[in-house]
Amino acid sequence: MSYLDNIRTFVRVYELGSMSAAGRDLRISPAVTSARISQLEDHLSVRLFQRTTRNLTPTEQGQAFYPGAVAVLEAVDDAEAKVMHLTEAPRGSLFVAAPFGVGRRLLAPQVPEFLAEYPEIDVRLRLTDRSVDLTTEGLDLAFFIGQPEDSTLRIRKIADCQRVLCAAPGYVERRGMPESGEALIADGHECLNLRFPGATEFQWVLQTADGPKRFAVSGQFECDDGDVLTDWALSGQGIVLKPVFEIAAHLKSGSLVPVATQTPPVPVQMACLYTHRRHQDPKTRLFMEFMTARIGVSVREAEKQAG
């Protein structure tokens, strides 16, 4: 297995462009990472990477070796997946990414039940509101809200999520009740924006009499964590656009109230991304099926609770 470990390490170093990043991803020390690459280079009698104090780049031989190395790992993974499927004992680590709201409210509460049913699987949950790359970040699945940027991946749709523009009653009392998206712009309302490095979309898509329309809202407050935006809205700082399932309790209690109801937000899909190869892995398939069924029910129940 040591030769396979060396190949797996090479692939992660190649994809991440860093010995230290690959080591963190594989949960091995930098010394072990470097040793595995050196062993592989000795075995092949070639240098796979050019190393400097600042950069690490694959050599021509490294570039030629990479596709075959990936094919070897895929063949091993597929063979192991078939065996595990036959034995009905899926095992191993499952790396899953999700937005903060989806992960905290929908995924995390279900993970203990999943692990109780499949005790040989380890779930590594990564929460972030930014877009993720399944390949370079070593992920098996990524739950998301909206439209994926990578059209080469497979999508498992979970639900169409209702969204709402809302604010605290104190904000409405202080600034007035906007009736539409046009009023958000014309009256200079403070809009709380979800933004993160590399984000390109800074507009809210609202349903108007003429169909969906983009509104270039603005405000002093922005963050890459959607829960922070909710906290700001609750404290009366501005208007936030949120999926109903995330704030159903606040809508029911009246701590947040809908605004601009003449132009409600367009519903957005919640779905799961996965690669074609990973779909063959029983633990990936089991987790996806387990979670998508429960998440769909949770979303509908939250929307019903919010009224």
Side-chain angles (χ1 to χ4, degrees):
M1 291 299 292
S2 60
Y3 185 60
L4 280 177
D5 290 339
N6 293 347
I7 292 177
R8 198 175 301 277
T9 302
F10 162 77
V11 168
R12 295 310 289 149
V13 171
Y14 187 100
E15 292 173 343
L16 298 176
S18 165
M19 292 273 192
S20 58
R24 288 192 298 270
D25 182 70
L26 294 169
R27 297 192 172 192
I28 58 178
S29 69
V32 172
T33 304
S34 179
R36 288 183 179 179
I37 297 299
S38 296
Q39 289 172 10
L40 188 58
E41 290 177 329
D42 290 343
H43 177 80
L44 297 172
S45 298
V46 298
R47 182 170 291 279
L48 297 171
F49 296 100
Q50 293 289 356
R51 305 169 179 82
T52 68
T53 56
R54 294 186 177 181
N55 297 306
L56 183 145
T57 56
T59 62
E60 181 179 357
Q61 292 85 354
Q63 294 175 24
F65 186 65
Y66 173 74
V70 171
V72 167
L73 295 179
E74 288 183 348
V76 172
D77 288 346
D78 288 344
E80 290 182 345
K82 290 176 182 178
V83 172
M84 286 187 286
H85 180 70
L86 290 174
T87 61
E88 297 183 352
R91 63 184 182 275
S93 295
L94 190 61
F95 292 86
V96 182
F100 285 114
V102 173
R104 288 169 176 163
R105 292 167 182 80
L106 302 178
L107 278 178
Q110 305 288 350
V111 168
E113 182 181 350
F114 176 81
L115 294 182
E117 188 169 346
Y118 302 102
E120 298 299 316
I121 298 177
D122 304 322
V123 173
R124 312 300 185 198
L125 185 59
R126 310 287 187 254
L127 301 186
T128 176
D129 280 331
R130 65 171 175 81
S131 298
V132 298
D133 187 307
L134 268 70
T135 300
T136 61
E137 298 184 46
L139 297 168
D140 298 297
L141 298 170
F143 293 82
F144 70 97
I145 294 178
Q147 294 295 327
E149 296 179 0
D150 190 343
S151 61
T152 65
L153 298 172
R154 300 295 183 91
I155 300 176
R156 171 78 171 265
K157 185 174 180 179
I158 300 172
D160 284 321
C161 299
Q162 298 178 19
R163 296 189 294 173
V164 63
L165 291 170
C166 56
Y171 175 87
V172 174
E173 182 178 352
R174 186 174 73 253
R175 294 292 307 274
M177 170 65 78
E179 299 296 333
S180 65
E182 287 82 4
L184 296 178
I185 307 298
D187 298 338
H189 278 278
E190 185 69 50
C191 296
L192 310 174
N193 288 297
L194 179 68
R195 299 187 184 181
F196 45 85
T200 58
E201 181 59 74
F202 304 129
Q203 299 176 333
W204 288 352
V205 182
L206 308 180
Q207 186 67 52
T208 72
D210 299 321
K213 180 180 177 181
R214 295 179 181 273
F215 291 84
V217 298
S218 61
Q220 293 180 291
F221 294 79
E222 66 177 56
C223 186
D224 61 357
D225 183 336
D227 281 353
V228 171
L229 301 185
T230 301
D231 291 340
W232 282 337
L234 288 167
S235 66
Q237 304 305 319
I239 296 170
V240 68
L241 187 158
K242 300 292 290 185
V244 170
F245 76 83
E246 284 195 28
I247 56 169
H250 299 309
L251 292 171
K252 184 177 181 180
S253 69
S255 54
L256 291 175
V257 296
V259 302
T261 54
Q262 292 180 4
T263 54
V266 174
V268 64
Q269 77 164 343
M270 181 190 300
C272 183
L273 279 178
Y274 59 96
T275 65
H276 177 71
R277 179 175 67 85
R278 291 295 186 186
H279 183 52
Q280 304 303 316
D281 188 333
K283 66 177 181 292
T284 303
R285 174 179 53 80
L286 286 169
F287 187 84
M288 182 166 57
E289 292 178 353
F290 183 96
M291 289 298 175
T292 54
R294 287 161 174 76
I295 287 174
V297 171
S298 297
V299 168
R300 290 189 294 271
E301 287 179 349
E303 291 174 349
K304 184 178 179 179
Q305 172 190 353

